Amino acid sequence: MAMYSRLPGSVALITLQNPPVNALSAAVRQGIVDTVQRALKDPKVTSVVICGQNGKFCGGADIREFAGPMLGPPLVPMIHAIEAVDKPVAAAIEGVALGGGLELALGCHYRIAHSKALLGLPEVTLGLLPGAGGSQRLPRLIGLTAALDLITTGRHISAAEALKLGILDQVTDNNVVDQAVEFVRRVAGQPLDSRRLSTLPCPCPPDVDSLLDKAMVKGMEKERDLLTTLFNSGQARALQYAFFSQRVVGKWSLPSGASWDNSAARTISKAAVIGLGTMGRGIVVALALTGISVVAVETQEKQLAEASQAVPAMLQREAGRRSLATPPGVISFSSNLQDVSEVELVIEAVFEDMSLKLQVFRHLTSVCRPGTLLCSNTSGLDIDQLAAVTQSPGLVVGMHFFAPAHVMKLLEVVYGPRSSPEAVATAMQLGKRMGKVSVAVGNCPGFVGNRMLKPYLEQANFLLEEGATPQQVDEALEEFGFPMGVFRMSDLSGLDVGWRIRKEAGLTGPGVESTRTRQGRRYSPLPDQVCEAGRLGQKTGRGWYQYDGPGGRVARSDPWVHIFLEAYRAEHGLVARSIAPEEILERCLYALINEGFNILQDAMAAGPEDIDAIYVFGYGWPRHHGGPMFHAGQVGLGRILERLQHHHHNHPDVPHLKPSTLLRRLVAVGSPPVQTWREFINKERVHSQL
Ligand SMILES: CC/C=C\C/C=C/C(=O)SCCNC(=O)CCNC(=O)[C@H](O)C(C)(C)COP(=O)(O)OP(=O)(O)OC[C@H]1O[C@@H](n2cnc3c(N)ncnc32)[C@H](O)[C@@H]1OP(=O)(O)O
């Protein structure tokens, strides 16, 4: 909707009304068309101001409408009509003018913004282009180079930058509507031709050839054609899905019925972090950047001394990089666990060893004051076991950060069977304050992200046994869109991490026979043998690849690995075959996706969006593929099922390839769209089908 009002004197005010961001829905577009007509017809009106309700000008086209047929007046002629009005029209920009919102403002003759407003053309992040004239008007206003930067990055810019670039006519700290009204009164009667951006020539740098000039003349047509292609592309659908899944996970719910809207969170102002290794240091910085005072505890003197040098430097660097709204919290370092007695929340980040973590939790529950939230940064150990040794198991949750913790966007908030809604709500809210995408997940080995990673890594190793090289596997995955293939990623993380976990699980180590079947299923001893050779990845300068030296970053193919693989295959009587990239993708990705279905079936994630957000924000899943579960829908659930059945038939000793019951059920009911799975799963659970 859009509201029309006549201000005292001769100014018409049009207010966009579509909370929360005044997106340009069909109703809003209709409202704009009607109110602009009304202003045109009213002889007493000499000028017009367009603003948005509730401190937000406009968040752009209504993304929800992209999924269906476009109804109501189209955006492009609506903006053209505003530009053609012969009374001055000004956009009064508060909050945001993004995408179609900025394009609407560019159709106005003048643009006045509040100093805190953000502007941008983020269509590219949704797989689109500024298809409401933005690709044509912006270059004509600020030149090709600056416009291309904004259009291709989709970045949001401040009002100050927009003023400097020439997008805005005025920036104010005062009431922006009042300023705009005053502005249009002043300019009423002045010629408007030079303010109609679509009619202006494009200022091009001298090196742009005449072909481009000609192309610009046909720009609006080109924009329309390209937008139509993009609208129908899978990438645009995936990016739009990713936008919404990021928001869906904030509206968490637990199987108990507790949820974001019925559970109160505590506001934390003082926290402690136990253990100052890489993860602990990052967590301290992430908390301090949020304005929280942190007690940073490390019992090993050498590690404490190093951390007390490194952490302030990290904090300073990161604070400098971001323009912080609040000053960073104070950090105090200590070697004494007793010093956490006054904090409201503790995050344990010691070595990934259950007996050590149990010891820390026993200690914490005796020194912390009653009511303190006790969190663990474990990447997959049992939260309930930790809760069991405390006096208040309800106040124990997992807060699983990803390295580097002050940079990576993902936080898994792990609730055990006894975690209280208040504890979950507090951890989720704290994550949000730290700028994380926080996802509530159930307590199972590896939680969601690492649980799905296991079959993915397993398949990658099996592919090496069968004839692939680490490069071939990595290239297939990187071609799909991962920033790093599985072996380059493992080298970066350190191969000893998984090795230790496998030793603890009794899968390898002294006394375990070196066979290719362990605990009743196929097992590849390859990664254990690489570790036994002292190759732990980048940190030792050797792993699945070779590097310039310990800590080297550039991966090069290593003849040692190829000789090692050949010897291994010969020892086990394996005949290397040529493996196509398609098989690599199917085996690695479909095994991972299958585990995603098992996780949904076990209610360890509330919906497919939660899994997809975890993979996009924590595991480098290419955003333009939406996430593993969205991708499954795009490939076709029937196809995924058929390929899993095929691979499971060929590898019956690999349980991870056995199609999940949920996948079968979804295929049986006709492969409904991913957005409906959550409801389907809940219904199936009620009727005990899962
Ligand atoms: C035919 C013409 C075709 C092409 C030309 C035009 C294309 C476009 O305009 S595409 C859209 C471009 N705009 C954007 O990409 C902006 C997207 N929104 C945001 O970046 C942020 O929401 C915000 C900066 C505007 C506000 O952030 P914040 O205050 O943190 O709130 P939320 O992100 O949680 O959003 C609140 C609420 O609003 C929904 N929402 C936001 N923007 C849109 C939108 N453009 N269309 C529909 N809905 C939108 C968002 O999903 C949240 O909804 P829920 O509360 O239900 O989760």
Side-chain angles (χ1 to χ4, degrees):
M1 269 197 24
M3 191 175 74
Y4 182 86
S5 45
R6 262 274 309 284
L7 301 181
S10 53
V11 180
L13 181 67
I14 296 173
T15 310
L16 312 187
Q17 294 183 318
N18 185 14
V21 302
N22 300 317
L24 295 163
S25 63
V28 173
R29 296 195 304 274
Q30 188 63 60
I32 295 174
V33 168
D34 294 345
T35 49
V36 168
Q37 275 300 317
R38 197 166 155 191
L40 252 182
K41 284 188 189 143
D42 187 340
K44 294 209 181 89
V45 167
T46 56
S47 43
V48 183
V49 169
I50 303 180
C51 67
Q53 193 189 33
N54 293 338
K56 294 221 164 72
F57 179 68
C58 177
D62 190 334
I63 306 167
R64 286 176 211 278
E65 285 185 352
F66 293 170
M70 227 19 129
L71 304 169
L75 210 44
V76 173
M78 180 196 93
I79 295 176
H80 268 316
I82 292 172
E83 190 183 63
V85 168
D86 54 10
K87 303 175 183 184
V89 183
I93 301 171
E94 239 184 317
V96 287
L98 296 172
L102 179 54
E103 294 178 288
L104 167 65
L106 291 170
C108 297
H109 307 118
Y110 301 97
R111 286 157 293 280
I112 323 295
H114 191 269
S115 54
K116 294 217 168 87
L118 290 174
L119 294 85
L121 292 175
E123 284 88 342
V124 67
T125 64
L126 300 167
L128 302 174
L129 56 78
S135 79
Q136 302 306 305
R137 287 195 178 90
L138 192 62
R140 284 165 166 80
L141 181 61
I142 64 172
L144 200 54
T145 314
L148 269 177
D149 168 49
L150 294 188
I151 291 169
T152 55
T153 61
R155 71 190 176 92
H156 298 182
I157 58 169
S158 65
E161 187 176 350
L163 182 68
K164 208 162 143 200
L165 285 171
I167 298 176
L168 297 174
D169 296 287
Q170 192 180 314
V171 172
T172 176
D173 287 327
N174 302 323
N175 183 309
V176 72
V177 175
D178 290 350
Q179 293 294 313
V181 168
E182 200 183 305
F183 190 100
V184 285
R185 278 197 185 122
R186 231 181 19 248
V187 296
Q190 289 183 13
L192 290 171
D193 281 353
S194 65
R195 311 297 310 183
R196 296 191 173 102
L197 300 180
S198 72
T199 64
L200 303 183
C202 180
C204 291
D207 55 336
V208 175
D209 59 29
S210 60
L211 269 180
L212 192 51
D213 286 338
K214 281 188 201 139
M216 292 297 265
V217 176
K218 291 186 167 273
M220 290 303 288
E221 265 172 54
K222 191 78 187 160
E223 183 189 87
R224 190 198 55 219
D225 293 349
L226 288 174
L227 189 64
T228 308
T229 310
L230 290 174
F231 254 127
N232 295 319
S233 75
Q235 290 201 3
R237 285 186 213 291
L239 290 167
Q240 288 156 29
Y241 168 85
F243 172 84
F244 286 118
S245 60
Q246 182 178 347
R247 282 151 183 86
V248 165
V249 299
K251 298 186 173 161
W252 57 273
S253 62
L254 308 187
S256 64
S259 63
W260 65 282
D261 54 353
N262 65 17
S263 310
R266 289 191 215 162
T267 302
I268 303 297
S269 58
K270 197 159 185 206
V273 175
I274 315 293
L276 297 180
T278 311
M279 287 308 294
R281 291 177 195 187
I283 298 170
V284 172
V285 173
L287 289 166
L289 285 168
T290 315
I292 293 171
S293 301
V294 191
V295 182
V297 180
E298 171 58 64
T299 51
Q300 291 183 26
E301 289 299 336
K302 185 168 172 279
Q303 180 107 297
L304 179 65
E306 280 172 15
S308 48
Q309 295 286 313
V311 169
M314 282 163 70
L315 179 63
Q316 204 179 3
R317 251 195 328 271
E318 200 56 29
R321 219 173 51 80
R322 312 176 185 185
S323 347
L324 291 183
T326 36
V330 176
I331 304 174
S332 59
F333 293 89
S334 169
S335 59
N336 189 351
L337 264 180
Q338 216 67 30
D339 288 345
V340 306
S341 59
E342 291 306 309
V343 304
E344 297 145 325
L345 176 142
V346 183
I347 302 177
E348 163 278 306
V350 301
F351 199 65
E352 193 72 353
D353 176 279
M354 187 46 115
S355 52
L356 178 61
K357 286 185 190 280
L358 285 171
Q359 205 180 315
V360 171
F361 269 73
R362 279 194 197 97
H363 203 102
L364 286 174
T365 199
S366 68
V367 298
C368 292
R369 59 182 185 193
T372 307
L373 256 79
L374 301 183
C375 312
S376 173
N377 176 50
T378 173
S379 58
L381 297 176
D382 185 357
I383 293 298
D384 198 31
Q385 223 181 313
L386 295 174
V389 300
T390 68
Q391 282 156 18
S392 308
L395 294 179
V396 176
V397 288
M399 286 184 82
H400 178 206
F401 291 81
F402 290 72
H406 57 300
V407 176
M408 288 290 286
K409 289 280 280 181
L410 179 64
L411 176 71
E412 281 185 325
V413 171
V414 190
Y415 57 89
R418 292 188 265 184
S419 305
S420 66
E422 185 191 25
V424 177
T426 304
M428 290 292 286
Q429 197 210 54
L430 181 57
K432 192 170 176 189
R433 278 173 68 194
M434 287 188 277
K436 308 282 178 208
V437 175
S438 310
V439 187
V441 299
N443 180 35
C444 58
F447 313 135
V448 169
N450 286 345
R451 176 168 159 184
M452 289 169 71
L453 203 61
K454 202 172 160 193
Y456 170 78
L457 292 170
E458 188 183 78
Q459 285 302 318
N461 292 326
F462 294 160
L463 287 162
L464 296 192
E465 291 187 337
E466 292 166 36
T469 63
Q471 291 90 318
Q472 284 167 342
V473 175
D474 283 352
E475 273 164 23
L477 294 166
E478 287 162 18
E479 185 62 28
F480 177 75
F482 280 98
M484 263 187 217
V486 55
F487 292 108
R488 287 215 295 134
M489 188 65 219
S490 303
D491 272 1
L492 174 69
S493 315
L495 302 183
D496 50 332
V497 181
W499 192 28
R500 197 172 49 244
I501 294 171
R502 293 192 295 278
K503 279 190 216 163
E504 271 170 25
L507 283 162
T508 188
V512 180
E513 214 187 323
S514 184
T515 54
R516 291 180 49 246
T517 302
R518 309 234 176 132
Q519 299 178 354
R521 53 174 73 181
R522 181 172 169 187
Y523 180 84
S524 173
L526 275 173
D528 301 331
Q529 293 181 5
V530 170
C531 289
E532 282 157 17
R535 305 173 64 102
L536 303 183
Q538 285 187 4
K539 62 178 144 189
T540 57
R542 297 272 185 279
W544 293 109
Y545 294 91
Q546 57 177 321
Y547 301 85
D548 283 341
R553 290 272 181 267
V554 182
R556 278 179 288 112
S557 168
D558 190 342
W560 183 94
V561 173
H562 300 285
I563 295 166
F564 160 73
L565 286 175
E566 274 169 27
Y568 175 91
R569 291 184 198 120
E571 182 193 338
H572 293 281
L574 297 165
V575 180
R577 63 185 174 90
S578 152
I579 301 177
E582 293 73 36
E583 180 177 346
I584 294 173
L585 285 184
E586 280 186 6
R587 295 266 299 273
C588 293
L589 300 188
Y590 294 3
L592 176 146
I593 287 169
N594 195 37
E595 194 58 21
F597 282 112
N598 286 328
I599 283 170
L600 289 174
Q601 192 176 306
D602 298 348
M604 292 293 123
E609 296 88 353
D610 301 65
I611 294 179
D612 287 336
I614 286 173
Y615 261 79
V616 166
F617 289 102
Y619 292 83
W621 184 280
R623 197 178 164 89
H624 63 268
H625 284 303
M629 309 321 286
F630 178 85
H631 181 65
Q634 278 205 322
V635 170
L637 298 187
R639 165 91 185 152
I640 303 268
L641 176 60
E642 183 259 306
R643 297 313 292 161
L644 280 169
Q645 280 168 332
H646 168 83
H647 293 301
H648 190 230
H649 176 79
N650 290 344
H651 306 277
D653 51 352
V654 182
H656 282 130
L657 291 173
K658 183 174 176 210
S660 92
T661 307
L662 173 60
L663 172 59
R664 289 178 187 280
R665 289 287 307 140
L666 284 164
V667 173
V669 297
S671 302
V674 65
Q675 290 82 356
T676 65
W677 294 359
R678 192 180 288 252
E679 201 184 330
F680 174 81
I681 294 164
N682 290 338
K683 276 196 193 136
E684 290 276 290
R685 199 160 286 128
V686 170
H687 298 110
S688 307
Q689 300 281 357
L690 287 178

